[in-house]
Amino acid sequence: MQTTRIAVVGGGIVGSSVAYHLGETADADVTVFEQGELAGETTAASGAFCGLWGDEPPAYRRLKAYGVRLYNEFFEAPRMNSPYTLAPRLEIASTPETARELRAEARECAHGPVEYVPGDRLDAELLHPGLDTSAVESALYRPNIGFLDATELAAEFVARAQNRGVTFEIGTQVETVTTADGSVTGLVADGEHREFDAVVAAAGPWNTRIAGLVGLDLPIRHTLGPILIFDPPAGVPYDTFSVKHAESGVYFRQQPDGTVFAGHYPGGYDEAGRNIDPDDAPTVVPADLREKIRRVVEAYFPWTEGARVADEWVGVRSLTPDGGAIAGWTEMDGLYVTGFNAAGIQLAPVIGHVVAEQLLRGNPTDYYDAVRLSRFDGFTDVFRERET
Protein backbone atom coordinates (compact mmCIF):
# COMPACT_ATOMS: atom_id res chain seq x y z
CA MET A 1 0.00 0.00 0.00
CA GLN A 2 1.28 3.49 -0.84
CA THR A 3 2.56 5.50 2.09
CA THR A 4 0.69 8.73 2.83
CA ARG A 5 3.02 11.65 3.55
CA ILE A 6 1.52 13.92 6.19
CA ALA A 7 2.70 17.24 7.62
CA VAL A 8 1.32 18.37 10.98
CA VAL A 9 1.90 22.06 11.66
CA GLY A 10 2.17 22.66 15.40
CA GLY A 11 3.93 20.69 18.11
CA GLY A 12 1.67 21.41 21.06
CA ILE A 13 -0.72 18.96 22.65
CA VAL A 14 -3.11 19.04 19.69
CA GLY A 15 -0.45 18.49 17.04
CA SER A 16 1.14 15.78 19.16
CA SER A 17 -2.22 14.03 19.60
CA VAL A 18 -2.85 14.20 15.85
CA ALA A 19 0.63 12.75 15.24
CA TYR A 20 0.09 10.00 17.82
CA HIS A 21 -3.16 8.92 16.20
CA LEU A 22 -1.78 9.15 12.66
CA GLY A 23 1.23 7.09 13.69
CA GLU A 24 -0.99 4.16 14.58
CA THR A 25 -0.67 2.84 11.02
CA ALA A 26 2.54 1.99 9.20
CA ASP A 27 1.04 3.44 6.02
CA ALA A 28 1.59 7.03 7.19
CA ASP A 29 4.87 8.96 7.11
CA VAL A 30 4.23 11.75 9.59
CA THR A 31 6.33 14.85 10.23
CA VAL A 32 5.45 17.47 12.84
CA PHE A 33 6.74 21.00 12.29
CA GLU A 34 7.08 23.22 15.37
CA GLN A 35 8.36 26.77 15.04
CA GLY A 36 9.64 26.90 18.62
CA GLU A 37 9.88 24.26 21.33
CA LEU A 38 7.43 21.38 21.63
CA ALA A 39 4.42 22.45 23.72
CA GLY A 40 6.14 25.77 24.31
CA GLU A 41 3.37 28.15 23.25
CA THR A 42 -0.40 27.75 23.67
CA THR A 43 -0.11 24.43 25.49
CA ALA A 44 2.35 25.80 28.04
CA ALA A 45 0.15 28.87 28.59
CA SER A 46 -2.99 26.83 29.27
CA GLY A 47 -4.74 26.50 32.59
CA ALA A 48 -5.17 22.82 31.67
CA PHE A 49 -8.49 22.39 33.48
CA CYS A 50 -10.08 19.05 32.73
CA GLY A 51 -13.37 17.48 33.65
CA LEU A 52 -17.10 17.44 32.96
CA TRP A 53 -18.70 20.76 33.84
CA GLY A 54 -22.24 19.42 33.85
CA ASP A 55 -23.78 21.76 31.28
CA GLU A 56 -22.23 20.33 28.11
CA PRO A 57 -24.53 19.24 25.28
CA PRO A 58 -24.53 15.42 24.89
CA ALA A 59 -22.42 15.56 21.71
CA TYR A 60 -19.79 17.64 23.47
CA ARG A 61 -19.72 15.28 26.44
CA ARG A 62 -18.98 12.45 24.02
CA LEU A 63 -16.00 14.37 22.69
CA LYS A 64 -14.67 14.84 26.20
CA ALA A 65 -15.36 11.21 27.10
CA TYR A 66 -12.91 10.03 24.44
CA GLY A 67 -10.20 12.14 26.07
CA VAL A 68 -11.02 11.00 29.60
CA ARG A 69 -10.71 7.37 28.53
CA LEU A 70 -7.40 7.96 26.73
CA TYR A 71 -5.89 9.98 29.58
CA ASN A 72 -6.87 7.26 32.05
CA GLU A 73 -5.11 4.78 29.77
CA PHE A 74 -2.00 6.96 29.77
CA PHE A 75 -2.05 7.30 33.56
CA GLU A 76 -2.09 3.53 33.96
CA ALA A 77 1.32 3.25 32.27
CA PRO A 78 2.82 6.74 31.92
CA ARG A 79 5.90 7.42 29.82
CA MET A 80 6.34 10.89 31.31
CA ASN A 81 5.50 12.67 34.57
CA SER A 82 1.89 13.65 33.86
CA PRO A 83 0.31 14.65 37.20
CA TYR A 84 -3.37 15.38 37.77
CA THR A 85 -4.74 17.45 40.65
CA LEU A 86 -8.40 17.20 41.61
CA ALA A 87 -9.68 20.72 42.33
CA PRO A 88 -13.48 21.01 42.41
CA ARG A 89 -14.69 24.30 40.94
CA LEU A 90 -16.84 26.88 42.69
CA GLU A 91 -18.29 29.42 40.30
CA ILE A 92 -19.29 32.26 42.60
CA ALA A 93 -21.63 35.21 42.16
CA SER A 94 -21.33 38.41 44.16
CA THR A 95 -24.55 40.11 42.98
CA PRO A 96 -28.18 38.98 43.23
CA GLU A 97 -28.63 39.25 39.45
CA THR A 98 -25.74 36.92 38.68
CA ALA A 99 -26.86 34.60 41.49
CA ARG A 100 -30.17 34.19 39.67
CA GLU A 101 -28.28 33.40 36.46
CA LEU A 102 -26.27 30.69 38.23
CA ARG A 103 -29.45 29.21 39.67
CA ALA A 104 -30.99 29.06 36.18
CA GLU A 105 -27.80 27.50 34.82
CA ALA A 106 -27.93 24.84 37.52
CA ARG A 107 -31.47 23.90 36.50
CA GLU A 108 -30.26 23.38 32.92
CA CYS A 109 -27.39 21.09 33.93
CA ALA A 110 -29.18 17.88 33.08
CA HIS A 111 -26.05 15.76 33.10
CA GLY A 112 -24.48 16.91 36.42
CA PRO A 113 -22.95 16.59 38.83
CA VAL A 114 -23.56 20.29 39.53
CA GLU A 115 -25.02 21.72 42.71
CA TYR A 116 -26.40 25.20 43.31
CA VAL A 117 -25.60 26.51 46.80
CA PRO A 118 -27.04 29.79 48.14
CA GLY A 119 -24.47 32.03 49.76
CA ASP A 120 -26.03 31.74 53.21
CA ARG A 121 -25.72 27.93 53.00
CA LEU A 122 -22.07 27.71 51.95
CA ASP A 123 -20.76 27.60 55.52
CA ALA A 124 -23.14 24.75 56.35
CA GLU A 125 -22.75 22.66 53.21
CA LEU A 126 -19.12 22.96 52.04
CA LEU A 127 -15.82 22.95 53.86
CA HIS A 128 -13.92 25.82 52.28
CA PRO A 129 -10.72 26.59 54.21
CA GLY A 130 -8.90 29.59 52.80
CA LEU A 131 -11.93 30.86 50.87
CA ASP A 132 -13.78 33.94 52.14
CA THR A 133 -17.45 33.48 51.29
CA SER A 134 -18.83 36.51 53.17
CA ALA A 135 -19.55 38.40 49.91
CA VAL A 136 -20.79 35.39 47.94
CA GLU A 137 -24.45 35.51 46.91
CA SER A 138 -24.44 31.97 45.52
CA ALA A 139 -22.22 29.36 43.95
CA LEU A 140 -22.26 26.49 41.50
CA TYR A 141 -20.30 23.53 42.84
CA ARG A 142 -18.76 21.32 40.15
CA PRO A 143 -16.95 18.41 41.83
CA ASN A 144 -15.58 16.66 38.74
CA ILE A 145 -12.95 19.26 37.81
CA GLY A 146 -9.18 19.16 38.12
CA PHE A 147 -6.10 20.29 36.28
CA LEU A 148 -3.23 18.65 34.47
CA ASP A 149 0.36 19.54 33.67
CA ALA A 150 -0.21 20.39 30.02
CA THR A 151 3.44 20.30 28.93
CA GLU A 152 4.02 16.89 30.52
CA LEU A 153 0.82 15.57 28.97
CA ALA A 154 1.95 16.84 25.57
CA ALA A 155 5.31 15.12 26.15
CA GLU A 156 3.34 11.92 26.77
CA PHE A 157 1.82 12.21 23.30
CA VAL A 158 5.21 13.06 21.78
CA ALA A 159 6.95 10.06 23.33
CA ARG A 160 4.22 7.70 22.18
CA ALA A 161 4.13 9.26 18.70
CA GLN A 162 7.91 8.95 18.34
CA ASN A 163 7.61 5.31 19.34
CA ARG A 164 5.25 4.95 16.37
CA GLY A 165 7.81 6.45 14.00
CA VAL A 166 6.63 10.08 13.89
CA THR A 167 9.35 12.70 13.22
CA PHE A 168 9.34 16.01 15.10
CA GLU A 169 11.21 18.98 13.62
CA ILE A 170 11.53 21.82 16.14
CA GLY A 171 12.59 25.37 15.41
CA THR A 172 11.15 25.03 11.91
CA GLN A 173 8.96 27.77 10.43
CA VAL A 174 6.26 26.80 7.93
CA GLU A 175 6.07 29.64 5.43
CA THR A 176 3.73 28.41 2.70
CA VAL A 177 1.31 25.60 1.98
CA THR A 178 1.60 24.65 -1.69
CA THR A 179 -1.34 23.56 -3.81
CA ALA A 180 -2.21 22.51 -7.34
CA ASP A 181 -5.65 22.01 -8.91
CA GLY A 182 -7.41 22.56 -5.59
CA SER A 183 -5.34 20.02 -3.64
CA VAL A 184 -2.47 20.30 -1.18
CA THR A 185 0.92 19.32 -2.61
CA GLY A 186 3.21 20.17 0.30
CA LEU A 187 4.67 23.08 2.16
CA VAL A 188 7.69 25.33 2.38
CA ALA A 189 9.54 25.22 5.71
CA ASP A 190 12.61 27.34 6.36
CA GLY A 191 12.86 28.04 2.65
CA GLU A 192 12.76 24.38 1.58
CA HIS A 193 9.86 22.91 -0.37
CA ARG A 194 8.70 19.55 0.98
CA GLU A 195 6.13 17.34 -0.76
CA PHE A 196 3.20 16.04 1.30
CA ASP A 197 -0.14 14.45 0.51
CA ALA A 198 -1.84 16.24 3.38
CA VAL A 199 -1.24 19.14 5.77
CA VAL A 200 -2.91 19.38 9.19
CA ALA A 201 -3.18 22.82 10.82
CA ALA A 202 -2.77 22.09 14.54
CA ALA A 203 -1.03 25.25 15.70
CA GLY A 204 -3.57 26.86 18.04
CA PRO A 205 -4.04 30.58 17.32
CA TRP A 206 -1.66 30.32 14.35
CA ASN A 207 -4.20 28.09 12.57
CA THR A 208 -5.98 31.13 11.13
CA ARG A 209 -2.69 32.15 9.50
CA ILE A 210 -2.01 28.66 8.14
CA ALA A 211 -5.49 28.37 6.66
CA GLY A 212 -5.10 31.85 5.23
CA LEU A 213 -2.09 30.66 3.22
CA VAL A 214 -4.55 28.85 0.94
CA GLY A 215 -7.28 31.49 1.13
CA LEU A 216 -9.40 29.87 3.85
CA ASP A 217 -10.77 32.30 6.45
CA LEU A 218 -11.58 30.20 9.53
CA PRO A 219 -14.52 31.14 11.81
CA ILE A 220 -12.17 31.64 14.75
CA ARG A 221 -11.54 34.70 16.91
CA HIS A 222 -9.17 35.17 19.82
CA THR A 223 -8.87 36.65 23.27
CA LEU A 224 -5.86 37.12 25.50
CA GLY A 225 -5.28 34.56 28.24
CA PRO A 226 -3.32 36.42 30.95
CA ILE A 227 -1.91 34.35 33.81
CA LEU A 228 -0.36 35.51 37.10
CA ILE A 229 1.36 33.20 39.56
CA PHE A 230 1.14 34.63 43.09
CA ASP A 231 3.56 33.47 45.78
CA PRO A 232 1.95 34.25 49.15
CA PRO A 233 4.23 34.56 52.20
CA ALA A 234 2.16 31.83 53.83
CA GLY A 235 -0.47 29.65 52.22
CA VAL A 236 -3.24 27.62 53.79
CA PRO A 237 -2.48 24.08 55.01
CA TYR A 238 -5.45 22.61 53.12
CA ASP A 239 -6.45 21.86 49.59
CA THR A 240 -9.08 24.34 48.52
CA PHE A 241 -11.40 24.94 45.60
CA SER A 242 -10.57 26.31 42.22
CA VAL A 243 -12.77 29.37 41.87
CA LYS A 244 -14.28 31.40 39.07
CA HIS A 245 -15.80 34.77 39.86
CA ALA A 246 -18.73 35.07 37.48
CA GLU A 247 -18.96 38.86 37.29
CA SER A 248 -15.29 39.57 36.60
CA GLY A 249 -14.27 36.46 34.64
CA VAL A 250 -11.29 35.98 36.99
CA TYR A 251 -10.49 32.38 37.92
CA PHE A 252 -7.90 31.09 40.35
CA ARG A 253 -6.68 28.01 42.19
CA GLN A 254 -4.11 26.97 44.73
CA GLN A 255 -1.25 24.98 43.21
CA PRO A 256 0.36 21.91 44.80
CA ASP A 257 3.48 24.02 45.55
CA GLY A 258 1.46 26.61 47.50
CA THR A 259 1.41 29.28 44.82
CA VAL A 260 -1.83 30.60 43.33
CA PHE A 261 -2.54 30.37 39.61
CA ALA A 262 -4.90 33.13 38.42
CA GLY A 263 -6.24 34.10 35.02
CA HIS A 264 -9.01 35.95 33.24
CA TYR A 265 -11.70 34.91 30.77
CA PRO A 266 -13.28 38.03 29.18
CA GLY A 267 -16.17 36.31 27.41
CA GLY A 268 -17.02 34.35 24.30
CA TYR A 269 -16.74 34.73 20.54
CA ASP A 270 -19.36 37.46 20.09
CA GLU A 271 -18.77 39.63 23.13
CA ALA A 272 -14.98 39.46 23.42
CA GLY A 273 -13.51 37.69 20.38
CA ARG A 274 -11.23 39.56 18.00
CA ASN A 275 -8.43 38.82 15.59
CA ILE A 276 -5.10 38.63 17.40
CA ASP A 277 -1.77 37.85 15.78
CA PRO A 278 -0.15 35.58 18.40
CA ASP A 279 3.28 36.88 17.39
CA ASP A 280 2.18 40.38 18.44
CA ALA A 281 0.51 39.41 21.73
CA PRO A 282 1.92 40.99 24.90
CA THR A 283 4.36 38.92 26.93
CA VAL A 284 3.38 40.46 30.28
CA VAL A 285 -0.08 40.93 31.74
CA PRO A 286 -1.45 44.42 30.98
CA ALA A 287 -1.61 46.68 34.03
CA ASP A 288 -5.41 46.94 34.13
CA LEU A 289 -5.85 43.16 34.02
CA ARG A 290 -3.09 42.69 36.57
CA GLU A 291 -4.92 44.94 39.02
CA LYS A 292 -8.30 43.34 38.31
CA ILE A 293 -7.00 39.80 38.82
CA ARG A 294 -5.17 40.72 42.04
CA ARG A 295 -8.20 42.52 43.47
CA VAL A 296 -10.52 39.55 42.94
CA VAL A 297 -8.04 36.91 44.15
CA GLU A 298 -7.28 38.84 47.34
CA ALA A 299 -10.99 39.37 48.02
CA TYR A 300 -11.73 35.65 48.07
CA PHE A 301 -8.31 34.23 49.02
CA PRO A 302 -7.45 36.87 51.67
CA TRP A 303 -4.27 35.03 52.61
CA THR A 304 -2.80 36.09 49.24
CA GLU A 305 -2.89 39.80 50.11
CA GLY A 306 0.35 41.47 49.07
CA ALA A 307 1.72 38.29 47.48
CA ARG A 308 4.51 38.84 45.01
CA VAL A 309 4.03 37.86 41.38
CA ALA A 310 6.42 34.95 40.93
CA ASP A 311 5.68 34.46 37.23
CA GLU A 312 3.38 35.69 34.50
CA TRP A 313 2.58 35.07 30.86
CA VAL A 314 -0.06 35.80 28.26
CA GLY A 315 -1.46 33.13 25.99
CA VAL A 316 -3.82 33.56 23.06
CA ARG A 317 -7.13 31.75 23.39
CA SER A 318 -9.12 30.60 20.33
CA LEU A 319 -12.92 30.84 20.21
CA THR A 320 -15.55 29.55 17.79
CA PRO A 321 -19.03 31.01 17.10
CA ASP A 322 -20.98 28.15 18.72
CA GLY A 323 -18.48 27.24 21.46
CA GLY A 324 -17.64 23.90 19.86
CA ALA A 325 -14.49 22.42 18.39
CA ILE A 326 -13.44 22.18 14.74
CA ALA A 327 -11.61 19.19 13.29
CA GLY A 328 -10.97 17.57 9.97
CA TRP A 329 -11.82 18.14 6.35
CA THR A 330 -11.96 21.52 4.62
CA GLU A 331 -13.06 22.45 1.12
CA MET A 332 -9.49 21.85 -0.08
CA ASP A 333 -8.45 18.26 -0.64
CA GLY A 334 -5.56 17.41 1.67
CA LEU A 335 -5.97 20.33 4.08
CA TYR A 336 -7.24 19.49 7.57
CA VAL A 337 -7.83 22.06 10.29
CA THR A 338 -8.35 22.09 14.03
CA GLY A 339 -9.89 24.72 16.25
CA PHE A 340 -11.21 25.00 19.78
CA ASN A 341 -13.19 27.15 22.15
CA ALA A 342 -10.65 27.33 24.97
CA ALA A 343 -10.75 23.57 25.57
CA GLY A 344 -7.77 22.23 23.65
CA ILE A 345 -6.33 20.17 26.49
CA GLN A 346 -9.57 18.28 27.07
CA LEU A 347 -10.41 17.76 23.41
CA ALA A 348 -6.95 17.13 21.93
CA PRO A 349 -7.38 13.32 22.13
CA VAL A 350 -10.64 13.13 20.18
CA ILE A 351 -9.48 15.70 17.64
CA GLY A 352 -6.42 13.57 16.92
CA HIS A 353 -8.68 10.56 16.45
CA VAL A 354 -11.07 12.39 14.09
CA VAL A 355 -8.30 13.81 11.91
CA ALA A 356 -6.54 10.45 11.65
CA GLU A 357 -9.71 8.57 10.74
CA GLN A 358 -10.74 11.09 8.11
CA LEU A 359 -7.29 11.45 6.60
CA LEU A 360 -6.22 7.80 6.52
CA ARG A 361 -9.52 5.97 6.11
CA GLY A 362 -12.03 8.50 4.80
CA ASN A 363 -14.09 7.76 7.91
CA PRO A 364 -16.00 10.83 9.13
CA THR A 365 -16.42 9.16 12.57
CA ASP A 366 -19.42 9.41 14.84
CA TYR A 367 -18.10 12.80 15.99
CA TYR A 368 -18.27 14.40 12.53
CA ASP A 369 -21.39 16.51 12.98
CA ALA A 370 -20.11 17.95 16.27
CA VAL A 371 -16.75 19.09 14.88
CA ARG A 372 -17.18 19.63 11.12
CA LEU A 373 -16.15 23.03 9.77
CA SER A 374 -19.08 22.88 7.35
CA ARG A 375 -21.60 23.39 10.16
CA PHE A 376 -20.90 27.12 9.88
CA ASP A 377 -22.61 29.22 7.22
CA GLY A 378 -20.43 29.75 4.17
CA PHE A 379 -18.22 26.71 4.77
CA THR A 380 -18.16 23.28 3.20
CA ASP A 381 -15.77 20.34 3.11
CA VAL A 382 -14.71 17.70 0.62
CA PHE A 383 -16.77 15.00 2.34
CA ARG A 384 -20.03 16.95 2.12
CA GLU A 385 -19.26 17.91 -1.45
CA ARG A 386 -18.86 14.25 -2.37
CA GLU A 387 -22.03 13.28 -0.51
CA THR A 388 -24.09 15.89 -2.37
Side-chain angles (χ1 to χ4, degrees):
M1 184 176 293
Q2 183 176 355
T3 299
T4 303
R5 301 162 300 177
I6 306 165
V8 179
V9 185
I13 194 166
V14 178
S16 300
S17 171
V18 170
Y20 164 78
H21 285 85
L22 287 170
E24 188 175 10
T25 174
D27 301 325
D29 182 2
V30 184
T31 303
V32 177
F33 295 91
E34 167 55 47
Q35 65 180 351
E37 297 295 326
L38 295 176
E41 298 283 355
T42 307
T43 299
S46 170
F49 287 100
C50 191
L52 297 177
W53 299 89
D55 54 356
E56 301 95 338
Y60 204 66
R61 287 176 65 86
R62 290 182 60 246
L63 296 176
K64 286 186 173 183
Y66 182 98
V68 171
R69 285 192 295 268
L70 185 62
Y71 287 156
N72 275 323
E73 179 183 319
F74 284 2
F75 290 147
E76 288 178 4
R79 309 285 180 86
M80 310 299 288
N81 178 26
S82 305
Y84 171 73
T85 302
L86 182 64
R89 166 69 65 89
L90 275 187
E91 183 171 0
I92 58 176
S94 54
T95 66
E97 179 182 9
T98 308
R100 287 191 292 271
E101 293 174 0
L102 291 189
R103 188 179 188 92
E105 184 177 342
R107 293 193 186 105
E108 297 172 2
C109 293
H111 301 284
V114 176
E115 181 180 357
Y116 175 82
V117 185
D120 59 5
R121 293 293 303 166
L122 282 169
D123 288 350
E125 295 191 16
L126 296 174
L127 292 172
H128 53 78
L131 176 64
D132 185 348
T133 61
S134 60
V136 176
E137 287 282 340
S138 71
L140 287 187
Y141 171 53
R142 306 178 193 267
N144 191 21
I145 303 296
F147 57 92
L148 300 149
D149 185 316
T151 56
E152 288 292 334
L153 197 59
E156 187 83 33
F157 276 115
V158 170
R160 292 168 184 266
Q162 288 176 326
N163 191 56
R164 291 177 167 183
V166 173
T167 299
F168 288 80
E169 296 191 13
I170 62 174
T172 305
Q173 180 74 44
V174 172
E175 299 155 2
T176 304
V177 175
T178 58
T179 64
D181 300 323
S183 298
V184 165
T185 59
L187 53 74
V188 176
D190 288 348
E192 178 187 358
H193 179 256
R194 310 271 288 273
E195 292 185 354
F196 289 98
D197 302 302
V199 172
V200 181
W206 285 271
N207 284 337
T208 52
R209 181 188 302 174
I210 296 165
L213 294 174
V214 297
L216 179 60
D217 185 16
L218 294 178
I220 290 176
R221 295 177 184 171
H222 309 103
T223 60
L224 295 180
I227 300 296
L228 295 173
I229 304 297
F230 295 109
D231 187 11
V236 293
Y238 308 99
D239 293 333
T240 190
F241 294 105
S242 65
V243 180
K244 181 181 179 183
H245 182 237
E247 285 84 359
S248 68
V250 173
Y251 57 91
F252 48 99
R253 69 189 186 215
Q254 183 177 239
Q255 303 275 80
D257 64 1
T259 60
V260 172
F261 175 106
H264 179 253
Y265 184 80
Y269 181 93
D270 290 324
E271 63 266 36
R274 55 194 176 97
N275 295 322
I276 299 176
D277 184 338
D279 289 334
D280 293 335
T283 57
V284 297
V285 178
D288 58 335
L289 280 176
R290 177 186 295 265
E291 175 58 29
K292 181 179 185 177
I293 293 170
R294 179 182 284 277
R295 183 174 66 251
V296 173
V297 172
E298 289 184 350
Y300 296 99
F301 277 4
W303 45 278
T304 65
E305 185 174 357
R308 73 180 183 92
V309 176
D311 200 0
E312 65 181 294
W313 60 84
V314 181
V316 177
R317 181 186 295 115
S318 297
L319 301 170
T320 63
D322 63 1
I326 297 170
W329 287 304
T330 67
E331 63 188 38
M332 175 167 286
D333 189 31
L335 179 68
Y336 299 76
V337 297
T338 64
F340 297 89
N341 199 79
I345 304 300
Q346 298 190 74
L347 298 180
V350 73
I351 297 310
H353 166 72
V354 169
V355 170
E357 286 294 310
Q358 291 185 4
L359 198 162
L360 296 173
R361 302 174 181 89
N363 173 23
T365 79
D366 292 339
Y367 307 104
Y368 171 69
D369 282 334
V371 299
R372 60 185 173 90
L373 176 62
S374 57
R375 72 182 186 272
F376 299 109
D377 289 343
F379 291 88
T380 187
D381 62 57
V382 293
F383 178 74
R384 290 185 69 81
E385 289 296 309
R386 288 197 301 266
E387 292 294 294
T388 57

PDB file of all heavy atoms in Angstrom, residues 12 38 51 63 73 94 100 111 122 145 228:
ATOM      1  N   GLY A  12       2.268  21.384  19.739  1.00  0.00           N
ATOM      2  CA  GLY A  12       1.675  21.411  21.063  1.00  0.00           C
ATOM      3  C   GLY A  12       0.887  20.138  21.319  1.00  0.00           C
ATOM      4  O   GLY A  12       1.048  19.129  20.625  1.00  0.00           O
ATOM      5  N   LEU A  38       8.641  22.186  21.506  1.00  0.00           N
ATOM      6  CA  LEU A  38       7.430  21.382  21.629  1.00  0.00           C
ATOM      7  C   LEU A  38       6.629  21.810  22.852  1.00  0.00           C
ATOM      8  O   LEU A  38       7.176  21.930  23.963  1.00  0.00           O
ATOM      9  CB  LEU A  38       7.781  19.895  21.715  1.00  0.00           C
ATOM     10  CG  LEU A  38       8.431  19.281  20.469  1.00  0.00           C
ATOM     11  CD1 LEU A  38       8.823  17.829  20.737  1.00  0.00           C
ATOM     12  CD2 LEU A  38       7.509  19.374  19.259  1.00  0.00           C
ATOM     13  N   GLY A  51     -12.267  18.089  32.925  1.00  0.00           N
ATOM     14  CA  GLY A  51     -13.374  17.479  33.652  1.00  0.00           C
ATOM     15  C   GLY A  51     -14.685  17.739  32.947  1.00  0.00           C
ATOM     16  O   GLY A  51     -14.743  18.401  31.909  1.00  0.00           O
ATOM     17  N   LEU A  63     -17.349  13.977  23.082  1.00  0.00           N
ATOM     18  CA  LEU A  63     -16.001  14.373  22.685  1.00  0.00           C
ATOM     19  C   LEU A  63     -15.055  14.315  23.874  1.00  0.00           C
ATOM     20  O   LEU A  63     -13.940  13.799  23.788  1.00  0.00           O
ATOM     21  CB  LEU A  63     -16.009  15.791  22.108  1.00  0.00           C
ATOM     22  CG  LEU A  63     -16.796  16.050  20.823  1.00  0.00           C
ATOM     23  CD1 LEU A  63     -16.757  17.527  20.474  1.00  0.00           C
ATOM     24  CD2 LEU A  63     -16.267  15.222  19.667  1.00  0.00           C
ATOM     25  N   GLU A  73      -6.000   5.812  30.316  1.00  0.00           N
ATOM     26  CA  GLU A  73      -5.111   4.778  29.770  1.00  0.00           C
ATOM     27  C   GLU A  73      -3.655   5.207  29.910  1.00  0.00           C
ATOM     28  O   GLU A  73      -2.793   4.406  30.297  1.00  0.00           O
ATOM     29  CB  GLU A  73      -5.460   4.550  28.300  1.00  0.00           C
ATOM     30  CG  GLU A  73      -4.593   3.522  27.592  1.00  0.00           C
ATOM     31  CD  GLU A  73      -4.946   3.405  26.125  1.00  0.00           C
ATOM     32  OE1 GLU A  73      -6.153   3.419  25.798  1.00  0.00           O
ATOM     33  OE2 GLU A  73      -4.008   3.331  25.291  1.00  0.00           O
ATOM     34  N   SER A  94     -21.367  37.432  43.071  1.00  0.00           N
ATOM     35  CA  SER A  94     -21.331  38.410  44.158  1.00  0.00           C
ATOM     36  C   SER A  94     -22.458  39.427  44.062  1.00  0.00           C
ATOM     37  O   SER A  94     -22.514  40.370  44.850  1.00  0.00           O
ATOM     38  CB  SER A  94     -19.979  39.138  44.178  1.00  0.00           C
ATOM     39  OG  SER A  94     -19.682  39.714  42.921  1.00  0.00           O
ATOM     40  N   ARG A 100     -29.001  34.754  40.355  1.00  0.00           N
ATOM     41  CA  ARG A 100     -30.172  34.189  39.674  1.00  0.00           C
ATOM     42  C   ARG A 100     -29.759  33.486  38.384  1.00  0.00           C
ATOM     43  O   ARG A 100     -30.316  32.446  38.019  1.00  0.00           O
ATOM     44  CB  ARG A 100     -31.185  35.300  39.391  1.00  0.00           C
ATOM     45  CG  ARG A 100     -31.921  35.802  40.626  1.00  0.00           C
ATOM     46  CD  ARG A 100     -33.092  36.696  40.255  1.00  0.00           C
ATOM     47  NE  ARG A 100     -32.648  37.956  39.675  1.00  0.00           N
ATOM     48  CZ  ARG A 100     -32.370  39.056  40.381  1.00  0.00           C
ATOM     49  NH1 ARG A 100     -32.477  39.046  41.709  1.00  0.00           N
ATOM     50  NH2 ARG A 100     -32.008  40.165  39.768  1.00  0.00           N
ATOM     51  N   HIS A 111     -26.960  16.890  33.050  1.00  0.00           N
ATOM     52  CA  HIS A 111     -26.047  15.759  33.101  1.00  0.00           C
ATOM     53  C   HIS A 111     -25.130  15.784  34.314  1.00  0.00           C
ATOM     54  O   HIS A 111     -24.298  14.920  34.460  1.00  0.00           O
ATOM     55  CB  HIS A 111     -25.212  15.711  31.818  1.00  0.00           C
ATOM     56  CG  HIS A 111     -26.066  15.589  30.586  1.00  0.00           C
ATOM     57  ND1 HIS A 111     -26.664  14.411  30.214  1.00  0.00           N
ATOM     58  CD2 HIS A 111     -26.420  16.503  29.668  1.00  0.00           C
ATOM     59  CE1 HIS A 111     -27.362  14.611  29.100  1.00  0.00           C
ATOM     60  NE2 HIS A 111     -27.228  15.862  28.752  1.00  0.00           N
ATOM     61  N   LEU A 122     -23.415  28.201  52.242  1.00  0.00           N
ATOM     62  CA  LEU A 122     -22.072  27.708  51.952  1.00  0.00           C
ATOM     63  C   LEU A 122     -21.352  27.224  53.201  1.00  0.00           C
ATOM     64  O   LEU A 122     -20.690  26.179  53.198  1.00  0.00           O
ATOM     65  CB  LEU A 122     -21.245  28.796  51.262  1.00  0.00           C
ATOM     66  CG  LEU A 122     -21.522  29.000  49.768  1.00  0.00           C
ATOM     67  CD1 LEU A 122     -20.853  30.265  49.272  1.00  0.00           C
ATOM     68  CD2 LEU A 122     -21.033  27.798  48.977  1.00  0.00           C
ATOM     69  N   ILE A 145     -13.889  18.378  38.511  1.00  0.00           N
ATOM     70  CA  ILE A 145     -12.953  19.256  37.815  1.00  0.00           C
ATOM     71  C   ILE A 145     -11.575  19.117  38.451  1.00  0.00           C
ATOM     72  O   ILE A 145     -11.446  18.980  39.672  1.00  0.00           O
ATOM     73  CB  ILE A 145     -13.404  20.730  37.878  1.00  0.00           C
ATOM     74  CG1 ILE A 145     -14.798  20.888  37.287  1.00  0.00           C
ATOM     75  CG2 ILE A 145     -12.407  21.647  37.163  1.00  0.00           C
ATOM     76  CD1 ILE A 145     -14.892  20.554  35.821  1.00  0.00           C
ATOM     77  N   LEU A 228      -1.256  35.071  36.037  1.00  0.00           N
ATOM     78  CA  LEU A 228      -0.356  35.514  37.097  1.00  0.00           C
ATOM     79  C   LEU A 228      -0.163  34.367  38.081  1.00  0.00           C
ATOM     80  O   LEU A 228      -1.126  33.681  38.438  1.00  0.00           O
ATOM     81  CB  LEU A 228      -0.928  36.724  37.834  1.00  0.00           C
ATOM     82  CG  LEU A 228      -1.093  38.020  37.037  1.00  0.00           C
ATOM     83  CD1 LEU A 228      -1.826  39.065  37.881  1.00  0.00           C
ATOM     84  CD2 LEU A 228       0.259  38.560  36.587  1.00  0.00           C
TER      85      LEU A 228
END
